[in-house]
Amino acid sequence: MTEKKAFITGITGQDGAYLSQLLLNEGYEVHGLMRRSASAHVATNRLDWLGITRDVHLHDGNLTDLSALIRTLQELQPTEIYNLAAQSFVKSSWQQPLLTGSVTGMGAANVLEAVRIVCPEARYYQASSSEMYGLIQEPVQSETTPFYPRSPYAAAKLYAHWMTVNYRESFGMHASSGILFNHESPLRGPEFVTRKVTDGVARIKLGLESELRLGNIDAKRDWGHARDYVRAMWLMLQQDEPDDYVVATGRTTTVRDMCRIAFEHVGLTPDAHLVIDPELFRPAEVDVLLGDASKAKDRLGWQAEITLEDMIAEMVDADLARLRQ
Ligand code: NDP
Ligand code: GDP
């Protein structure tokens, strides 16, 4: 039996796939929770893309089903648990606020309870989010900046975040929360703005589409690469003491400029193709996010390595390759 055994909820998502790859490289036995789908072959497409589907162990379950979580943890007795599963798309959270609360909020409480009941000595990671800062209370957000959530998603994440802090303080659990700013990759869901842009630019370049419809392009985000950010998650669980950490690049960029970077990568400009669609604006917007990851740098020795330009180029190239296939 290997000593290092990880259990990842959300293993089929962007971060779950990159984290699995990292943990396999570190010699872990990697297990993940996968919700049943009528199209199971689609559910593993990110793990397939990284070529690691056969290297991980997938377990049927759902974040809303505490019994499945308890039985799975009893069977596995993992040493590290990464709770990455969530209804993770902010815009959908206004359309499905109750589901978002059940999965993104209460789902984390279910995992914490399962850990507390079955394996309280295991280390726990909670995927918290910069969206919790919402209507920002300080121009640069750190671990001490007050939260002000601006969507049902952010409100659910805030509940999960404080439950993590409370389980640490109440029960002495090794529970840490990573307050991650937006992070992207070729495995990002196509509904998120970076991937929508890189896929759109690739389609325009190949003559498959002529326009790209976006909402609020004045919004600013601190965008990093998922490959960098999953390393921070792992580092948090290697510390003697659990804690909360901001993970960010320290640079913020408008959607407009990110879009320009993507078009320029293929020798085009947005002007002829970009259409602003009022339907794509949100009921409440998070105008700007900018993180200060000094604590992660000092304590974890972590910093972002991949630039926005390199990441967008990688994403556009991956989308071009996908479309050409
Ligand atoms: P994804 O949306 O790519 O992945 C979400 C994962 O959660 C998928 O594996 C999905 O499964 C799973 N899931 C959804 N609902 C359930 C459920 N009811 N039961 C079990 N599993 C479920 O997200 P990311 O990988 O980008 O993000 C990982 C985590 O980090 C999320 O919690 C997200 O909210 C958070 N986060 C992400 C940021 C980012 O910029 N990417 C920033 C800050 C936080 P399926 O494949 O079946 O849909
Ligand atoms: P979020 O920060 O988790 O909401 O990540 P997104 O990638 O979904 O959105 C980032 C920002 O891009 C938000 O401020 C959106 O309002 C803005 N945005 C502008 N147009 C679009 C669009 O067409 N799709 C998405 N997803 N976001 C858009």
Side-chain angles (χ1 to χ4, degrees):
M1 197 181 89
T2 140
E3 223 181 304
K4 299 189 285 186
K5 195 190 275 191
F7 178 64
I8 305 172
T9 73
I11 193 166
T12 55
Q14 167 188 261
D15 292 4
Y18 282 112
L19 179 64
S20 296
Q21 187 178 50
L22 178 147
L23 295 175
L24 287 167
N25 289 338
E26 294 290 337
Y28 283 71
E29 186 177 305
V30 177
H31 296 260
L33 186 78
M34 189 168 96
R35 53 178 172 168
R36 196 253 157 198
S37 161
S39 318
H41 61 291
V42 179
T44 58
N45 71 350
R46 293 186 172 93
L47 296 164
D48 294 342
W49 201 79
L50 294 176
I52 56 172
T53 311
R54 286 166 182 273
D55 303 326
V56 300
H57 307 268
L58 300 171
H59 302 266
D60 185 23
N62 195 298
L63 223 57
T64 56
D65 191 327
L66 178 61
S67 70
L69 292 170
I70 289 177
R71 272 183 282 100
T72 309
L73 292 185
Q74 275 171 340
E75 181 196 331
L76 298 177
Q77 296 292 337
T79 52
E80 294 178 14
I81 292 128
Y82 296 85
N83 181 38
L84 309 185
Q87 190 303 95
S88 66
F89 189 40
V90 171
K91 189 151 191 282
S92 288
S93 77
W94 281 283
Q95 180 65 18
Q96 303 181 49
L98 305 182
L99 175 119
T100 304
S102 313
V103 177
T104 307
M106 199 61 85
N110 282 337
V111 183
L112 282 162
E113 266 303 281
V115 174
R116 179 184 164 208
I117 292 167
V118 179
C119 46
E121 300 301 318
R123 297 184 172 194
Y124 174 87
Y125 173 84
Q126 172 59 28
S128 286
S129 166
S130 57
E131 290 290 320
M132 300 187 308
Y133 296 119
L135 187 63
I136 54 167
Q137 303 294 297
E138 288 176 342
V140 183
Q141 299 89 54
S142 73
E143 295 79 4
T144 56
T145 304
F147 299 117
Y148 194 132
R150 289 271 277 176
S151 62
Y153 167 80
K157 278 289 182 191
L158 200 50
Y159 171 72
H161 178 77
W162 280 118
M163 285 297 276
T164 304
V165 174
N166 273 271
Y167 272 56
R168 179 170 74 221
E169 294 178 355
S170 307
F171 307 121
M173 279 169 49
H174 195 297
S176 296
S177 190
I179 307 173
L180 270 54
F181 283 60
N182 297 50
H183 47 281
E184 323 291 314
S185 73
L187 298 182
R188 183 62 143 153
E191 66 275 37
F192 293 90
V193 74
T194 52
R195 183 74 200 292
K196 184 174 173 185
V197 166
T198 62
D199 177 67
V201 165
R203 285 173 191 275
I204 291 168
K205 180 66 181 172
L206 297 177
L208 303 171
E209 308 266 356
S210 60
E211 63 176 37
L212 173 62
R213 302 182 84 81
L214 294 178
N216 177 18
I217 60 171
D218 293 318
K220 296 172 97 174
R221 289 292 181 274
D222 179 333
W223 278 296
H225 198 301
R227 216 168 28 234
D228 275 344
Y229 284 34
V230 297
R231 200 172 66 250
M233 297 176 185
W234 175 69
L235 285 169
M236 282 177 221
L237 297 207
Q238 309 318 304
Q239 305 308 303
D240 290 339
E241 297 300 325
D243 209 338
D244 304 324
Y245 296 89
V246 160
V247 176
T249 70
R251 167 187 172 192
T252 193
T253 308
T254 57
V255 172
R256 182 195 305 274
D257 282 343
M258 178 272 293
C259 206
R260 183 183 47 72
I261 292 167
F263 274 100
E264 285 178 357
H265 179 64
V266 294
L268 298 172
T269 61
D271 313 345
H273 306 286
L274 193 54
V275 176
I276 302 303
D277 183 345
E279 289 286 310
L280 297 171
F281 281 67
R282 296 172 175 192
E285 181 59 282
V286 173
D287 295 319
V288 53
L289 291 171
L290 175 59
D292 171 3
S294 309
K295 180 174 167 184
K297 188 172 184 199
D298 292 347
R299 307 241 185 114
L300 307 177
W302 179 90
Q303 61 184 359
E305 283 168 10
I306 305 168
T307 66
L308 178 64
E309 284 75 8
D310 287 349
M311 178 177 77
I312 294 293
E314 181 191 346
M315 290 172 69
V316 173
D317 290 344
D319 281 321
L320 281 168
R322 277 191 187 104
L323 291 164
R324 283 191 178 117
Q325 266 175 10

